[in-house]
Amino acid sequence: MPLHAAHDARSIHLRALRAAAAVALGAACSSTAGQNVVAVANDTGQSDSTLTAHDAAAGADTAGAPDSSPADSPVADSSAADTAASPDVAAQDGASGDAQTGETMGGKPDCKALGLDMGACCTALTTWCEAAFANDQEARNTCIFGPNYDSSTGCTPWGPPAPPAMAVA
Amino acid sequence: MTALVLDLQSAARPFLSELGELPSLADPTAAQRTWRARMVNEHVSARVFGALLGQAMAAGLSAQRQTQLADFACEELRHARQCAAVVQALGGAAVAELPNLPAVPQHAEVDPLQALLRNIVSVCCLSETVAVALIRAETLQIGPPGLRSLLDQILADEVGHAQFGWSLLRELAPLPAALEQGLTSYAKVAMDHVIEHELAHLPDHRGFGPAAAQVGVCSGRAARALLADTLATVVAPGLLSLGIDARTPRLSQLCEEFAVPAGVCVIHTAKASDLQWAKLA
């Protein structure tokens, strides 16, 4: 059975919701909204690192496909961004973070630490990622928001048919 | 009037080889029907972005943003061919009658910027953001790697389409009060519209089992719950943080039906600084 077939319905629902939150709420990583969405995900008993590990594995399913270049798959195939900057891996694991400063050994802010000013940390993370991936938007998104916009970095991306024809009075 | 027919049999072939073989289903009818409907929906939605391009020019958006809209139209046409390839891989014909195509409203009664933003709110912030959630859920259930790869490409594009709208609104924030009011009035109309549109396309069933789910025929009931949650806990608060109140009684009703906690749907503040989010747990 493929790995992703093992997800339960609640887990699928929450991951999908986080993807939408990542897109819609994007830049506002200090938003309480994002934190709630992440909190709900954590309520399932899965840690962020578990989610990241899973999504990385799921991404690997398609990593070798001819059309899975980062440019084509910014959301689903973000593993390239993880490997592009090796310090990120440690940062996303949370293994080397400094809870006081939120900064990892490699200099990348770790916004998962408790007690941080999330807004300031996510702003710093955004700055760091923009410098690290200046020319690769997909990698930058993964760096800021995590693979598949799963918020595993601690930052929910800022907070984000034919339209109806009826006129507004 | 003779119905127009969309025939993507030939156009789908290049994607067929990338897709690989799909598992054979005892009854592939539901899967074929699902992907054929997607083929049509994706194809005709290209015209929406085409219309937005004209509005973006009238409103004076940057050349880069105009180019993005043109790209989005092409992406929707490609999605249609990709969905057509799935229909063929499932043993069906990538041919369908096109529905009546309502014109994309130009909103001539308001200035060009508000006219554009009305459609941006509807298309990018509502429809495409919901699409991100629904497709993301589906990718987590897809089995065959070739199909997963195809859906990942579509998801990536949908993310871009949604981001376009949210980022444009954030660039323009804070919106002038009159524009906020105008967009709030319209967003309520658009909210109810997207709810009815999505419910019409998400049959209220619990799926056709794991085999069907692995080729993209998921539980419509679960998708409806995700729709409710996305609109109530992501879209409405996101718009509210920009001064646009899209909450409606219909959204509250949807929340009630799918047990999204009432607090989420009754947010009394209007600014990001004091936006209150109800706990979902």
Side-chain angles (χ1 to χ4, degrees), chain A residues 4 7 12-13 16-17 20 23-25 32-33 36 40 43 55 62 67 72 74-76 148-149 160-164 166 168, chain B residues 18 105 119 122 127 133 136-137 140-142 152-153 156 159 162-163 166 170 185-186 189 193 197 225-226 229 234 277 280-281:
Chain A
H4 35 265
H7 294 311
I12 290 169
H13 182 96
L17 195 58
V23 170
L25 308 179
T32 11
N36 279 342
V40 170
D43 285 345
D55 285 334
T62 56
D67 288 326
D72 284 341
V75 177
N148 297 322
Y149 296 83
M166 62 186 293
V168 177
Chain B
E18 293 175 18
N119 286 344
S122 174
S127 297
R136 175 67 178 131
L140 293 168
Q141 300 168 76
I142 287 287
D152 281 346
Q153 288 175 41
V159 165
Q163 274 180 331
W166 291 105
R170 282 198 296 270
S185 300
Y186 182 76
V189 175
H193 177 264
H197 175 83
L226 184 56
D229 229 353
V234 174
W277 290 76
L280 298 177

Side-chain angles (χ1 to χ4, degrees), chain A residues 91-154:
Chain A
Q92 292 197 359
D93 287 344
S96 58
D98 180 328
Q100 298 305 309
T101 65
E103 192 171 289
T104 63
M105 297 281 285
K108 178 180 176 181
D110 177 6
C111 301
K112 287 187 299 179
L114 294 175
L116 287 173
D117 178 337
M118 293 300 294
C121 186
C122 292
T123 301
L125 177 63
T126 301
T127 304
W128 192 94
C129 294
E130 283 174 352
F133 302 103
N135 299 315
D136 187 340
Q137 185 185 354
E138 286 73 32
R140 203 158 58 238
N141 282 340
T142 297
C143 175
I144 300 168
F145 305 125
N148 297 322
Y149 296 83
D150 68 0
S151 306
S152 56
T153 58

